[in-house]
Amino acid sequence: MVGGRPRQVPGKCWSRVTPTPAPSPTLALWSTEMAEALGLERTDKAGVVLGGGAPVAGMQPYAQRYGGHQFGNWAGQLGDGRAITLGEVETENGFLELQLKGAGRTPYSRTADGKAVLRSSIREYLCSEAMHHLGVPTTRALSLVTTGEQVVRDVLYNGNPAPEPGAVVCRVAPSFIRFGSFQIHMSDGHHQTLRTLVDHTVRHHFPDHDVSTDDGIIAWLTEVAETTATMIAHWMRVGFVHGVMNTDNMSIHGLTIDYGPYGWLEPFDVDWTPNTTDAGRRRYRYGNQPHIGAWNVARLLESMAPLLDDVSRLQPVLDHYMEYAMNAQSETWADKLGLGVLQESDEPLVNDLLTLLGASEVDMTIFFRLLCSVTKPDVGHFSDAFYEGREPSKTAWNAWLGRWWERVNEEPDRATMRKTNPKYVLRNWMAQLAIDSAEEHGDFSITEELHELLKRPYDEQPEHEEKWFQKRPEWARHRVGCSMLSCSS
Ligand code: AMP
Ligand code: MG
């Protein structure tokens, strides 16, 4: 095996590897849109190549080495344990990297198998594409190949391992460089490698920057801080909870990366996390994401200290992140509420709404979408948004709606609201229906249907309303994969 057994690889940024061929590869999903952007054609061989079986001329597959803070603790070397980059494609919009997830072991696989299961692969494929169309910065997906092989996983880490079908997703991004890609060299004391990686990253991906001086490094890091804050503001806007915001899962491009036990708020609850592995401390809960972004940016900044003459210049970058993130949040809420230009008195209006939403069991997506079409401030308009058994307090809701109605002079900026409040998101139970059908019958039609639906998340699409513009059904409330997810994938 090129690449060799799992081990420490000090001082390096990557290792050359060969993907392990899938025994019986079948191309189950292919994103025509992504393929067009890459200038790729779907040939008979596509499934074999994208299942890891036959690198084509020009590909020099490698696995990246990185470290990371996992749940707040430094974990040392992690790296691409089951991701293998095939190569880059030059497109109109710059270079895009093609990376297989689940194509076998690498030097960074530690004790694991380097494989991925079908359920998590469908979740990554669908969600990354849905996020793109929601306008959330993200990595993307080109294909999903089923491998014809069974992979054993203990879904809830509770001593019940079972075989599941395996799959390989090909994902796409300018690069898969993470905060942890830099941290590992600072941690190891390999400052020359750190310098080389920063120069490489900036030369290839941030050509407007010049990191030969302190000023240049600070300007580049400021941009990274801003794109990170922007990405998280989008997550908050659409109700997305990443679930594992470890620093190895933070893209240097400010892209949503590594779709694992993510989820979408259904009942609005700032304390919610879909990740059962994090259920105790809830470090990565919805409402904490902007703060964790700051924590992660701080770790990235620390890792750059060896490159600076004056390390005191790092703190202002973090301060800037905080201010930028808070402004992004405020603007997001203003857009969701159709307020137009923000006023000082808007803060209590927004905060009171968040309190009310938290106190009621009300569906975030449906609530905000219905808000776009209010014609009088009456909570009756929102009856479809409330979960059963949780009748809204009419007085409190009508009082808030009255304040909002007055604030917008009875004319909320509906066009902005309809572009900000999606009608369709990839609720966990929707993904689960697609997964059940693919696992049980090899039928990907629901996956394809959702892929199409979620290409136009802000359009009304009345033909899909009854089926997919829906609160979480009762069966999904406690179902594994819907309300409970783990890092097992
Ligand atoms: P994640 O929680 O998915 O971000 O993964 C954390 C680390 O574990 C990364 O270095 C992954 O590459 C690695 N990893 C996760 N699952 C596997 C697997 N099945 N085989 C090898 N490495 C894995
Ligand atoms: Mg990861």
Side-chain angles (χ1 to χ4, degrees), residues 66 70 77-83 101 104-105 108-116 153 178 244 246 248-249 258 260-261 487 489:
Y66 53 81
Q70 296 189 313
Q77 176 183 299
L78 297 165
D80 287 336
R82 51 146 169 201
K101 191 166 172 184
R105 293 211 302 166
Y108 310 103
S109 299
R110 295 177 286 164
T111 55
D113 57 8
K115 308 268 165 73
R153 289 289 183 273
R178 299 127 192 277
V244 203
N246 293 336
D248 51 302
N249 290 340
D258 278 10
C487 293
S489 55

Side-chain angles (χ1 to χ4, degrees), residues 428-478:
N428 278 342
W429 58 268
M430 292 164 64
Q432 192 60 44
L433 288 174
I435 291 166
D436 287 346
S437 174
E439 281 183 345
E440 285 161 31
H441 315 292
D443 176 358
F444 286 85
S445 57
I446 301 178
T447 312
E448 301 274 22
E449 182 182 340
L450 292 177
H451 189 193
E452 284 308 308
L453 172 81
L454 296 166
K455 281 181 185 167
R456 296 189 290 130
Y458 301 100
D459 289 359
E460 288 297 328
Q461 304 192 58
E463 68 281 18
H464 292 300
E465 198 171 86
E466 205 182 313
K467 204 162 158 195
W468 302 123
F469 184 59
Q470 225 204 93
K471 297 187 288 260
R472 179 193 58 207
E474 255 327 283
W475 63 262
R477 186 184 275 263
H478 299 297

Side-chain angles (χ1 to χ4, degrees), residues 7 12 16 24-26 41 51 55 121 216 227 230 237 241 262 265 283 298 327 340 343 352 371 373 411-412 415 417:
R7 64 187 185 280
K12 303 294 184 230
R16 187 149 293 173
S24 179
T26 306
E41 265 173 52
S121 305
T227 53
T230 300
R237 170 173 69 82
V241 186
Y262 66 80
L265 284 195
R283 179 180 172 86
N327 283 339
Q343 298 171 8
D352 292 347
L371 194 67
S373 57
E411 283 177 9
M417 291 173 81

Side-chain angles (χ1 to χ4, degrees), residues 19-40:
T20 306
S24 179
T26 306
L27 185 58
L29 298 169
W30 171 261
S31 164
T32 318
E33 192 186 44
M34 192 70 249
E36 270 169 22
L38 291 163
L40 296 180

